[in-house]
């Protein structure tokens, strides 16, 4: 079986597809991952990849697309735009990738196309190759609704009224967090690039360790989250570690119990941590849930406000605005037994979902029915 995997050109969109792509390849199938820009660099070397939009500058496309819609841009930056802005933004990004994806699909001749909701070019490639499409949930939004929002902008750009619904939907968000979903459950498996890191962080320290992370999306602005956490950590009995701090934070004096480090593979280091503070990205959030580690999610733009509130409502962590950060909040994150118990409950719920490898036969049957 030949499987084309299509992802938007950002690390947080590629990585959720890597475990399934790896499982398909391990089962003996030919897999080609197509993406662009920063998405290419996070794919593991054992997977075959193709850059379908060389030179694509995603940030520039997103900014040019949103600037004419000032009210919508304000809503998106406040995390209150729902799927309206993301459909517009990733319809435009998808258009830049579309011809490259179509060319790769023609040459590769897949039996099956696997894609995430914001990669509408995957839906088009499956339709044009007349093969089934499998939609893989990559965040906490309902995958079908998110894809529909993107296709509403993308399809007219491609001169189409729309494309067939996916033949299968794989859902990874734990139901106790988001409620029941249409689709077939699949366990979320955290994936990270293969890079050197300080293995000290795989072992518990003498004091409770709180990791602080920021988005993998490049942002030229100062990172206010890490600055605020560092200030709040002063005087606490916590070992606070700023992961990949921006250049402003890295240069400023820090409290004695706050330090910095480079990149860390969160699936490997979170089990040794007492808590995680982060920006609300779905990949980071789901990785922490899978590890059973309480998290403090700072509300932000896009889906990050909603992500934070879902975690807070489940009790597996805390949702906070940047102005809420305080020593007491950090100490509660690391020491509240109720938060830790709820985080472990969600981790057990996720571990009980079928693994990507267990779903390979389902996809084989799906492609086989079409070939037959």
């Amino acid at each position: 079986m030949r499987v084309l995997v299509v992802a938007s050109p950002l690390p947080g969109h590629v990585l959720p597809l890597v475990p399934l792509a790896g499982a398909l390849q391990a089962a003996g199938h030919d897999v080609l991952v197509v993406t662009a820009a920063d998405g290419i660099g996070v794919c593991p070397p054992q997977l075959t990849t193709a850059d379908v939009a060389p030179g694509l500058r995603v940030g520039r496309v997103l900014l040019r697309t949103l600037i004419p819609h000032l009210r919508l841009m304000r809503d998106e930056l406040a995390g209150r735009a729902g799927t309206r802005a993301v459909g517009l933004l990733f319809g435009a990004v998808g258009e830049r990738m579309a011809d490259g994806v179509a060319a790769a699909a023609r040459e590769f001749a897949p039996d099956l196309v696997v894609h995430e909701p914001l990669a509408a070019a995957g839906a088009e490639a499956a339709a044009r190759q007349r093969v089934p499409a499998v939609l893989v949930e990559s965040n906490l939004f309902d995958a079908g609704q998110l894809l529909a929002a993107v296709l509403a902008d993308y399809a007219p750009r491609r001169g189409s009224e729309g494309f067939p619904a996916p033949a299968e939907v794989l859902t990874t968000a734990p139901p106790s967090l988001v409620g029941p979903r249409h689709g077939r459950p699949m366990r979320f498996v955290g994936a990270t690039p293969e890079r050197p890191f300080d293995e000290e962080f795989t072992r518990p320290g003498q004091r409770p360790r709180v990791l602080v992370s920021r988005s993998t999306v490049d942002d030229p602005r100062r990172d206010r989250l890490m600055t605020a956490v560092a200030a709040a950590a002063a005087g606490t009995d916590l070992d606070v570690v700023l992961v990949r701090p921006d250049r402003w934070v890295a240069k400023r004096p820090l409290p004695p119990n706050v330090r910095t480090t480079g990149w860390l593979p969160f699936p490997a280091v979170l089990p040794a941590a007492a808590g995680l503070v982060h920006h609300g990205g779905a990949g980071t959030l789901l990785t922490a849930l899978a590890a059973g580690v309480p998290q403090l999610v700072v509300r932000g733009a896009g889906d990050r406000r909603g992500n934070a509130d879902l975690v807070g409502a489940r009790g597996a962590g805390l949702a906070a605005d940047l102005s809420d950060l305080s020593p007491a909040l950090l100490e509660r994150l690391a020491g509240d037994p109720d938060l830790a118990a709820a985080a472990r409950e969600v981790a057990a719920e996720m571990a009980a979902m079928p693994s990507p490898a267990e779903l390979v036969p389902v996809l084989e049957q799906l492609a086989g029915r079409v070939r037959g």
Side-chain angles (χ1 to χ4, degrees):
M1 182 171 68
R2 300 171 68 80
V3 184
L4 183 71
V5 178
V6 186
S8 299
L10 293 167
H13 298 252
V14 175
L15 289 173
L17 298 177
V18 165
L20 181 59
L24 286 161
Q25 183 169 277
H29 301 296
D30 293 330
V31 177
L32 174 64
V33 180
V34 296
T35 183
D38 291 343
I40 289 290
V42 299
C43 285
Q46 62 267 28
L47 287 176
T48 302
T49 61
D51 185 345
V52 293
L56 176 64
R57 300 182 66 176
V58 180
R60 179 174 293 182
V61 174
L62 297 177
L63 189 60
R64 286 180 174 176
T65 303
L66 203 52
I67 279 179
H69 307 272
L70 292 179
R71 179 175 295 179
L72 183 59
M73 182 167 66
R74 286 195 296 269
D75 289 345
E76 177 70 358
L77 291 174
R80 302 185 188 280
T83 60
R84 291 176 295 140
V86 76
L88 182 71
L89 293 169
F90 282 90
V93 171
E95 182 186 27
R96 303 305 196 278
M97 295 177 57
D99 288 342
V101 172
R106 287 194 299 270
E107 182 177 351
F108 187 62
D111 301 300
L112 190 72
V113 174
V114 173
H115 68 100
E116 46 96 7
L118 301 185
E124 180 181 5
R128 299 200 184 282
Q129 294 297 309
R130 298 183 180 181
V131 299
V134 176
L135 179 62
V136 179
E137 195 172 69
S138 59
N139 51 46
L140 301 187
F141 272 109
D142 179 276
Q145 293 177 9
L146 195 54
L147 175 61
V150 178
L151 284 174
D153 183 87
Y154 174 87
R157 291 174 180 268
R158 299 293 291 168
S160 173
E161 295 183 357
F163 304 105
E168 186 65 86
V169 179
L170 304 181
T171 66
T172 57
S176 72
L177 199 76
V178 301
R181 286 276 167 90
H182 168 71
R184 187 184 297 270
M186 181 178 74
R187 185 187 311 157
F188 174 85
V189 178
T192 62
E194 297 178 6
R195 299 171 183 167
F197 71 100
D198 188 343
E199 295 192 6
E200 170 201 350
F201 295 105
T202 63
R203 301 179 294 272
Q206 294 183 346
R207 294 183 297 183
R209 180 184 300 136
V210 172
L211 303 178
V212 186
S213 177
R214 63 190 181 97
S215 176
T216 55
V217 179
D218 287 336
D219 190 332
R221 299 172 298 176
R222 290 177 182 262
D223 187 275
R224 296 173 57 214
L225 186 154
M226 288 196 172
T227 301
V229 174
T236 66
D237 191 30
L238 302 173
D239 177 18
V240 175
V241 182
L242 310 180
V243 182
R244 298 182 306 103
D246 67 23
R247 61 183 183 274
W248 290 287
V249 174
K251 291 179 179 179
R252 65 185 298 149
L254 296 172
N257 63 325
V258 179
R259 52 182 167 144
T260 65
T261 188
W263 175 85
L264 291 177
F266 280 157
V269 302
L270 279 176
L276 172 69
V277 182
H278 65 97
H279 61 294
T284 304
L285 185 153
L286 287 165
T287 300
L289 288 175
V293 176
Q295 52 192 302
L296 195 168
V297 189
V298 178
R299 299 183 182 95
D303 61 347
R304 298 170 187 177
R305 174 177 293 275
N307 292 346
D309 290 340
L310 285 170
V311 169
R314 177 60 180 83
L318 303 168
D321 294 323
L322 195 66
S323 59
D324 296 331
L325 293 176
S326 67
L329 201 63
L330 293 179
E331 289 173 335
R332 183 184 172 198
L333 169 69
D336 187 327
D338 292 336
L339 293 180
R344 290 193 297 270
E345 289 172 2
V346 177
E349 176 187 8
M350 296 171 73
M353 298 164 76
S355 70
E358 291 176 282
L359 293 178
V360 168
V362 174
L363 304 190
E364 292 171 340
Q365 292 175 9
L366 182 63
R369 287 200 298 270
V370 174
R371 287 198 301 269

